[in-house]
Amino acid sequence: MHSLAAFVFRCYFDFVIRPPANDDLGLHPDPGGDVDLVSADGRVLVDVAERLLSVRDLHAKLAQLALVAHRRRAEAILVLMAPRLSLARVREEVDAFRAVLSPDVAPRLAVVTVDDDKADRLPDSPLTRSVAAHFATTTPSRPGPRLDRSGEALKVLVHRWLLGKGPIQMQQLQTVTGLSYPTVAAQLRVLGDAVTRGSNRSVSLRVLPVDAWTELRARRTRQAAWFADGSGRPPDLEHLVHRLRRAHPEGVALAGVLAARRRHPDIDLVGLPRLDLSVHAHSAGSDLSFLRRLDPALVRVTSAHQAVLAVHTVPREDALFEDDDGLTWADPVEALLDLQELRLDAQAEAFVKHLRAGARS
Amino acid sequence: MSETLVDPRDLLGRLARELPPELHEQVFVAGSLAAACHHAARLAGGGVRTKDADLVVRPSGNTRGAQAIALRLLDLGWRHRKEGAFLPGTETTPADKLPAIRLYPPDHKDYFVELLIVPGDERPGAKPWVHVELDDGWYGLPGFEFLALTEIGRVPFGGGLFYAHPSMMALANLLSHRTLSDHTMSSPIGGRPDIHRHAKDLGRVLALAHLEPRQEMDTWEIRWLGGLRLAFRDRWPELARTVGDGLRALLTDGTFEEAHHCCIVGLLAGTGVSEANLRATAERLFVDVIEPVEEAGRAAGA
């Protein structure tokens, strides 16, 4: 039984937790809870300190980590995310601290500093380079324009908040969003008190952060692609859905009103004002060539008011799409954002209440 | 010709009542009246200005039947529609100089019928008009190369009368104009002289596609392939493979504007459809129907 549990954990670790790029350490949350992350072989411990404000805090972190390194006889690396201290000051304090450690522990203690415009490794070694790369790494770049992922951590948290899925560990949040640790951390900082942090480096949403959500909505609307029926005929949106079901293009999900209605059948909406699609940025459908099969008479327009079809890109690593009834469905957050873009505010509010009620029950 | 709009269903209803019932089985309605009737609910203003009903005599090659139908109608008091230098020909008059058989009902001139005939074989090429002798002389029966397609999948109208399905009329028109030509219409269309025939007929294809709901358009591929196999057992792969050639050429030809003109003075009058709209419709027709049919033709011919 124990070996089965280990096997399951190993699979989970390999396919879910383990970051996909530039990380041969296999860092994952520390089951012992002493530090944030531990390598696959248990020989490397990593603790993360965000926005360290003072030398005193730095000393405290180093002392705590040195103790754990001693007890677990492991390499220990402190990662400083966007510290308020200068690199020179950090280097000076780390050197001084090492000097007072025992010769057994001092060589096994390292510090990596990661920030937008500065980086440092003490000492510079293959191990510290690997850890620095892990925290600086985002998802491997893909062809095409740069994707705006600045709201993805929020969207994933809202997804879990709406569906009552509970907290998510930082590492998993990185995996789902495809963002580096500093980027996720920065996105969470913006959310302020709306985010609840757990003891095991997990985070969850306490309330919907209105300002961040409003900004996310605006940014997403600016990045939408809208299409009208170029034939001049009244659109037949039901038939477009039929076509979508038949073509079933990879990485393309129904969103908007239909996705909302799927989760909340009694939502106060008659008809279909617009067809909304979410397209996973990392899929074959991301070049939108599937639209020609859907309806070659679709023409791109600049105004949402003219649109019969809206396409939004989901840039995160895991689109959180679901397959059901021969169709792929976008997650409720995309549906909610679509409702709000359509100015169906009352329906959007009802949708949130419905999902939250289900989440609590 | 009056400019008053008429409901095509009313017009076809009158024809069904006034045409002797025993003739219904031997003819079907094609052309603009059939198209307008099929899409009556989608026409802007609900009506058309057309007053001519193309009556196609069936089965194929039934010249004697066409003659009998014309004589029967004349016996019942139907009258020749005499226009310009109307004069019946003789047995030796070249077929293309003979007048067509166009007949008004006995009591009014609200519409007239024109008899056509389905050619008796599937050999390629233009079909010469067929000589038909009536009481006062000789007349011509036009028969177009691809008219046989319009007999397939006819739509029942009521009273035993049928009309051609729009998809099959569109297919016949496409195949008739797989290359563009300089041939122009003898009469003005919507006040414009010298409209190219290919622009008029391919414009009709676009008008039919524009009016057809998309879920109905999904049936066109099957209708076309079935019709081609039935009517042109030997030639169908080549016809299928080249079905879109003319329309493709029209989209980049200066006469596309003429096709648009024919649409907006015809079936699409009052809809405000633009050239860009028609091009989008053409693109839809290509993806939904033409390209799959061309592919089937290529596969069968390989």
Side-chain angles (χ1 to χ4, degrees):
Chain A
M1 193 65 191
H2 178 74
S3 60
L4 177 63
F7 172 75
V8 171
F9 176 77
R10 186 74 203 178
C11 292
Y12 180 71
F13 166 71
D14 282 346
F15 295 104
V16 180
I17 298 175
R18 185 174 183 146
N22 297 331
D23 178 22
D24 53 8
L25 294 173
L27 293 173
H28 62 281
D30 176 24
D34 293 329
V35 292
D36 292 319
L37 303 169
V38 60
S39 65
D41 60 8
R43 291 179 182 170
V44 179
L45 308 174
V46 176
D47 208 23
V48 182
E50 291 178 52
R51 305 176 83 189
L52 210 60
L53 290 171
S54 67
V55 170
R56 179 181 296 178
D57 292 339
L58 176 60
H59 288 166
K61 280 286 184 187
L62 286 170
Q64 186 182 7
L65 190 58
L67 189 60
V68 175
H70 172 67
R71 283 179 181 159
R72 293 173 61 167
R73 307 195 64 77
E75 301 279 341
I77 300 174
L78 177 63
V79 177
L80 302 177
M81 307 295 307
R84 290 288 187 257
L85 306 170
S86 69
L87 289 182
R89 186 66 191 274
V90 169
R91 185 178 285 265
E92 184 183 324
E93 294 301 326
V94 169
D95 286 345
F97 189 81
R98 272 215 194 96
V100 300
L101 289 177
S102 74
D104 175 45
V105 174
R108 288 191 275 118
L109 186 67
V111 175
V112 168
T113 304
V114 179
D115 204 347
D116 288 340
D117 55 354
K118 56 192 175 187
D120 200 12
R121 297 178 293 273
L122 303 170
D124 185 13
S125 68
L127 179 60
T128 55
R129 279 198 291 274
S130 179
V131 171
H134 171 84
F135 282 91
T137 296
T138 59
T139 305
S141 62
R142 314 240 174 201
R146 189 170 181 274
L147 297 168
D148 179 1
R149 299 178 182 179
S150 55
E152 291 311 306
L154 172 57
K155 286 203 289 189
V156 172
L157 290 184
V158 174
H159 171 95
R160 300 182 71 87
W161 180 72
L162 286 174
L163 300 181
K165 289 192 169 186
I168 182 173
Q169 291 193 324
M170 283 293 286
Q171 182 68 38
Q172 194 183 349
L173 191 52
Q174 283 177 251
T175 304
V176 174
T177 58
L179 298 170
S180 68
Y181 185 94
T183 306
V184 170
Q187 290 187 15
L188 295 183
R189 275 199 299 276
V190 173
L191 304 182
D193 294 343
V195 172
T196 301
R197 293 168 192 273
S199 56
N200 59 345
R201 305 294 296 173
S202 66
V203 290
S204 61
L205 213 53
R206 189 173 55 82
V207 292
L208 192 66
V210 177
D211 290 347
W213 184 256
T214 303
E215 189 186 328
L216 171 67
R217 283 173 52 185
R219 203 165 48 237
R220 182 178 181 270
T221 298
R222 285 196 296 272
Q223 293 166 353
W226 292 303
F227 297 87
D229 188 326
S231 75
R233 287 280 310 276
D236 186 349
L237 300 182
E238 298 292 342
H239 189 68
L240 282 184
V241 175
H242 167 73
R243 288 258 167 169
L244 189 71
R245 185 191 298 274
R246 204 166 68 180
H248 209 165
E250 183 205 335
V252 179
L254 269 175
V257 167
L258 291 176
R261 195 177 280 143
R262 172 176 170 256
R263 288 188 178 272
H264 183 15
D266 297 329
I267 196 166
D268 184 19
L269 266 170
V270 178
L272 186 59
R274 182 179 85 184
L275 189 65
D276 283 86
L277 299 178
S278 291
V279 176
H280 192 200
H282 303 158
S283 72
S286 63
D287 63 1
L288 304 189
S289 59
F290 73 91
L291 287 176
R292 184 166 188 266
R293 286 283 154 204
L294 211 58
D295 187 354
L298 290 171
V299 292
R300 190 120 181 211
V301 292
T302 54
S303 165
H305 302 302
Q306 303 169 265
V308 299
L309 173 76
V311 179
H312 294 93
T313 300
V314 179
R316 61 178 169 262
E317 191 66 22
D318 182 348
L320 300 174
F321 291 168
E322 290 180 9
D323 287 327
D324 181 30
D325 191 26
L327 288 162
T328 301
W329 298 88
D331 87 302
V333 175
E334 298 299 327
L336 175 62
L337 286 163
D338 290 334
L339 291 180
Q340 291 179 323
E341 190 175 286
L342 285 161
R343 301 187 179 185
L344 297 169
D345 293 331
Q347 287 83 354
E349 191 178 334
F351 183 53
V352 170
K353 281 182 180 168
H354 176 80
L355 292 179
R356 289 288 295 157
R360 289 192 199 98
S361 62
Chain B
M1 185 181 290
S2 165
E3 288 299 298
T4 310
L5 290 175
V6 292
D7 187 325
R9 289 167 298 195
D10 289 346
L11 204 59
L12 203 54
R14 290 185 71 180
L15 174 61
R17 287 192 301 275
E18 293 172 353
L19 201 65
E22 68 272 20
L23 300 186
H24 288 189
E25 266 293 298
Q26 301 174 49
V27 297
F28 63 94
V29 180
S32 57
L33 181 59
C37 189
H38 192 80
H39 292 300
R42 301 182 192 98
L43 300 176
V48 290
R49 293 190 171 84
T50 189
K51 296 291 178 69
D52 60 320
D54 292 338
L55 274 189
V56 183
V57 180
R58 56 187 295 272
S60 59
N62 188 11
T63 310
R64 286 186 181 279
Q67 182 187 37
I69 289 168
L71 290 172
R72 172 87 173 115
L73 292 177
L74 289 166
D75 275 353
L76 290 171
W78 290 57
R79 298 151 298 149
H80 283 290
R81 179 175 186 261
K82 299 177 180 178
E83 258 191 345
F86 174 85
L87 196 62
T90 67
E91 194 172 4
T92 57
T93 305
D96 61 349
K97 303 293 183 193
L98 290 172
I101 302 173
R102 294 184 175 122
L103 303 173
Y104 282 122
D107 304 327
H108 61 84
K109 291 187 174 181
D110 292 343
Y111 69 87
F112 64 89
V113 297
E114 176 172 346
L115 297 188
L116 298 91
I117 190 167
V118 176
D121 62 70
E122 65 168 85
R123 279 175 297 181
K127 302 297 175 187
W129 284 30
V130 179
H131 284 72
V132 174
E133 186 180 17
L134 301 181
D135 289 346
D136 57 345
W138 289 80
Y139 291 79
L141 269 179
F144 302 107
E145 184 179 2
F146 300 106
L147 200 56
L149 290 165
T150 62
E151 192 184 353
I152 298 166
R154 301 184 312 279
V155 182
F157 173 72
L161 196 60
F162 286 73
Y163 65 82
H165 193 276
S167 65
M168 304 312 282
M169 293 191 284
L171 176 58
N173 278 9
L174 280 172
L175 291 170
S176 298
H177 298 286
R178 283 172 292 158
T179 55
L180 307 186
S181 77
D182 293 332
H183 188 158
T184 54
M185 301 299 294
S186 55
S187 303
I189 294 178
R192 277 183 61 171
D194 300 328
I195 295 282
H196 286 79
R197 176 166 275 283
H198 69 247
K200 170 186 170 284
D201 288 351
L202 293 176
R204 171 68 58 79
V205 173
L206 295 179
L208 292 173
H210 185 85
L211 290 168
E212 191 81 335
R214 253 193 122 202
Q215 65 266 28
E216 292 298 321
M217 184 89 84
D218 279 349
T219 69
W220 282 29
E221 177 191 344
I222 293 169
R223 288 177 182 275
W224 285 16
L225 286 171
L228 283 169
R229 288 188 176 108
L230 201 61
F232 299 95
R233 278 183 295 183
D234 298 329
R235 297 175 60 197
W236 84 263
E238 180 257 335
L239 296 175
R241 195 169 58 243
T242 56
V243 66
D245 289 0
L247 186 57
R248 233 177 238 110
L250 179 72
L251 292 176
T252 56
D253 191 80
T255 54
F256 183 83
E257 177 271 331
E258 293 177 18
H260 174 246
H261 170 79
C262 293
C263 288
I264 60 174
V265 299
L267 283 172
L268 303 186
T271 60
V273 67
S274 66
E275 283 192 38
N277 293 151
L278 269 195
R279 288 183 188 281
T281 294
E283 186 65 15
R284 189 178 271 165
L285 183 63
F286 272 108
V287 170
D288 288 357
V289 192
I290 292 176
E291 289 175 5
V293 169
E294 288 175 331
E295 183 54 39
R298 278 192 290 273

